Amino acid sequence: MLYILDTANLQQIKRAFDLYPMSGVTTNPTIISKENRNFLDILKGIREIIGEDKMLHVQAVSLKAEDIVKEAEYLKDTIGGNIYIKVPVIPEGIKAMKILKKKGIKITATAVFTAQQALMAAIAGAEFVAPYVNRIDNITGNGVGVVAQIVELFEIHQIDAKVLAASFKNVQQVHEVILAGAHSVTVNAEIMDGLLKHPLTDWSVDQFVVDWEGVYGKGKYTCDVK
Ligand code: G3P
């Protein structure tokens, strides 16, 4: 199971990659536009922080297959490293996926709302498919259910593509898609922190410090006490 950070904010990326076992970063045009500065500077900044080996998922914004392919080649050459081009599951997107697959460019199928969209994208050559869990829930669908169906379809048909569950409002949704077999999740910085948060953990840690310092002194660590 892979944790991926869904942001283009460099401070958040730096902090999460310092603390947590992160595998990569996902962006989309909305996430990028929130930073409101030069697009390439943002992506090069992310690459510098995460290094060449971690995944960076960047979305093409054209809606025609040939243009998507052009963007993908440009992004691959300009950003470099372990890059995945996000392509939406529209007909021209599927066409672009077939071409990109032949060119050896890695693809993440995005804006996935149904298991059939995910299946077609995987057959067209996507390595990852990204179902939008909370957006599905918001249209009175079952986001976790769609993830579970995709996992099942990939298993039944022995398809290598992985589920990159995306669009979350809370930790419980993340927990449920992981239980359903999602191979990876992309979450914002707040949810990433939330996965670890528990008041009793904080209480226990505070109590350990009080008890330890009561006997061995304030600011003394195990290596200081002979
Ligand atoms: O990675 C896709 C994700 O960014 C969409 O999330 O919260 O805008 O539905 P959201």
Side-chain angles (χ1 to χ4, degrees), residues 45-171:
I46 297 174
R47 177 56 82 210
E48 208 177 301
I49 295 168
I50 70 176
E52 297 290 305
D53 295 341
K54 302 279 178 176
M55 294 188 283
L56 177 52
H57 300 246
V58 185
Q59 193 160 331
V61 297
S62 327
L63 300 178
K64 286 274 172 220
E66 289 71 20
D67 298 331
I68 293 172
V69 172
K70 247 186 248 163
E71 279 190 69
E73 287 175 323
Y74 169 75
L75 291 168
K76 184 173 182 272
D77 291 346
T78 318
I79 313 302
N82 188 6
I83 190 165
Y84 286 74
I85 306 301
K86 291 175 75 178
V87 179
V89 288
I90 56 176
E92 288 284 325
I94 298 294
K95 178 176 173 183
M97 289 177 204
K98 294 192 297 171
I99 302 169
L100 292 174
K101 177 72 181 172
K102 280 197 190 125
K103 288 178 178 282
I105 295 179
K106 294 185 283 192
I107 307 149
T108 298
T110 194
V112 170
F113 285 77
T114 72
Q116 284 303 319
Q117 291 174 326
L119 181 63
M120 194 187 294
I123 292 172
E127 265 89 358
F128 284 97
V129 299
Y132 279 13
V133 177
N134 190 55
R135 293 192 197 188
I136 296 170
D137 288 352
N138 276 345
I139 49 168
T140 62
N142 177 354
V144 175
V146 170
V147 169
Q149 285 176 359
I150 300 171
V151 169
E152 196 180 342
L153 277 182
F154 286 2
E155 271 169 18
I156 292 171
H157 297 283
Q158 296 171 358
I159 286 168
D160 282 339
K162 306 259 180 281
V163 177
L164 170 52
S167 175
F168 294 104
K169 190 186 62 190
N170 58 54
V171 167

Side-chain angles (χ1 to χ4, degrees), residues 198-205:
H198 198 289
L200 284 180
T201 300
D202 296 341
W203 180 86
S204 302
V205 170

